[in-house]
Amino acid sequence: MSRVLVTGAASGLGAALVTAFRARGDEVLATDRVEADGIDLVLDITSDDDWAAALDAVRARWGGLDVLVNNAGVAGGGRVDRCTLEEWQWITDINLFGLVRGTRTFTPMLKEQGSGHLVNVASLAGLVHPAGMGSYNATKAAVVAFTETCGHELAAYGIRASVVCPSYFRTNLMDSMQGSDELVGRVVGGLVERSRVTADDIAAAVLAGMNAGEDVIVPDEAARQAYFLKWADRPAYDAVMRDQAAKLLLRDALSLGSSGTGAPAGEADS
């Protein structure tokens, strides 16, 4: 039996992970930034005070922690000249610094007890980097790098670190989507809606990856294929990514052409 803290546990992958951990007999402290059914502790991951309160709650409840799951995050993105610096700051504070805050809070406890497992939820976007998603890609790639660093740095203390990199799956993540590049939001939303992979599927794969000792957990077939293509055939991967970028440009041109400018599609003034 493990003692587990999960952030962003009110819905989506967080809720599925809570269910999966409890199903195998683990004790779970489910946290989220808002009060909701099934949430044990309100935790805004951007708040140092909330993280300090979470540490106190873990000490009072269990005296230690076996697994910290940094799952909470938001969706965002936009092409490089359309994503504002305010949007970059918003997504970075949540997707990267929120996770760093949690890791920094609990690492002394894990070192003291000589064991523990950090599980950081990134995205396939941390491994492959499609056009129009610069800020999201950057934060998730940073999570991948930070997790690997923690794994090396903390191994001597008996602490493991795993990063989870799923492709698109059905979740309510898009409810958090912010950004001035509305076309990118529509494209990403469509990919999420069309996915046949569920949060429960990803949660089961996460636990299996943890049990197998995987440092990088790529939990679904679409993600594994994309990551393998980048590793095995970089020119082919680049061609796929640039074709996707060209399709985004075409959709933008078609949108401009039908927006009442009077210009034919693809020929509107910039």
Side-chain angles (χ1 to χ4, degrees):
M1 181 189 72
S2 295
R3 301 160 297 180
V4 185
L5 187 153
V6 179
T7 68
S11 60
L13 180 56
L17 285 167
V18 169
T19 298
F21 280 119
R22 286 176 175 162
R24 73 175 191 180
D26 295 332
E27 294 187 13
V28 182
L29 186 67
T31 76
D32 202 279
R33 66 184 301 271
V34 295
E35 294 183 358
D37 291 341
I39 294 303
D40 304 307
L41 179 70
V42 173
L43 169 58
D44 179 347
I45 63 170
T46 67
S47 166
D48 290 331
D49 289 342
D50 279 12
W51 275 113
L55 179 63
D56 289 343
V58 166
R59 288 194 186 280
R61 179 179 291 211
W62 296 320
L65 186 70
D66 300 306
V67 183
L68 172 63
V69 183
N70 286 304
N71 165 75
V74 292
R79 284 161 287 182
V80 64
D81 56 341
R82 304 192 186 193
C83 184
T84 68
L85 286 178
E86 290 77 15
E87 290 164 5
W88 271 90
Q89 290 166 345
W90 169 77
I91 198 170
T92 302
D93 196 34
I94 298 170
N95 285 1
L96 177 58
F97 292 150
L99 177 148
V100 171
R101 286 183 174 95
T103 303
R104 283 175 49 82
T105 297
F106 278 95
T107 291
M109 171 184 280
L110 302 184
K111 280 186 172 182
E112 181 180 353
Q113 66 191 27
S115 64
H117 195 168
L118 301 170
V119 180
N120 296 330
V121 177
S123 165
L124 177 62
L127 303 174
V128 304
H129 312 304
M133 297 293 293
S135 60
Y136 188 76
N137 294 345
T139 60
K140 294 304 186 179
V143 170
V144 173
F146 178 68
T147 306
E148 181 179 333
T149 301
C150 289
H152 298 323
E153 184 176 321
L154 300 176
Y157 298 92
I159 301 169
R160 296 170 52 200
S162 300
V163 65
V164 181
C165 298
S167 183
Y168 301 105
F169 63 96
R170 293 200 302 275
T171 180
N172 64 341
L173 179 64
M174 294 307 297
D175 292 346
S176 68
M177 182 81 178
Q178 289 190 21
S180 51
D181 196 339
E182 296 180 359
L183 175 58
V184 169
R186 292 197 300 272
V187 170
V188 174
L191 291 168
V192 170
E193 291 177 3
R194 291 193 295 273
S195 176
R196 296 182 179 181
V197 181
T198 68
D200 290 335
D201 295 332
I202 301 299
V206 170
L207 267 62
M210 292 172 60
N211 291 339
E214 295 177 5
D215 297 327
V216 181
I217 301 173
V218 186
D220 59 283
E221 185 60 27
R224 288 189 288 269
Q225 289 180 4
Y227 187 37
F228 179 78
L229 178 64
K230 183 177 182 179
W231 174 81
D233 191 344
R234 183 58 185 257
Y237 162 79
D238 286 341
V240 170
M241 291 292 104
R242 289 170 187 175
D243 179 65
Q244 181 188 53
K247 290 178 179 177
L248 188 63
L249 180 62
L250 177 61
R251 289 188 63 168
D252 199 21
L254 292 172
S255 176
L256 285 172
S258 62
S259 64
T261 63
E267 298 182 7
D269 292 337
S270 60

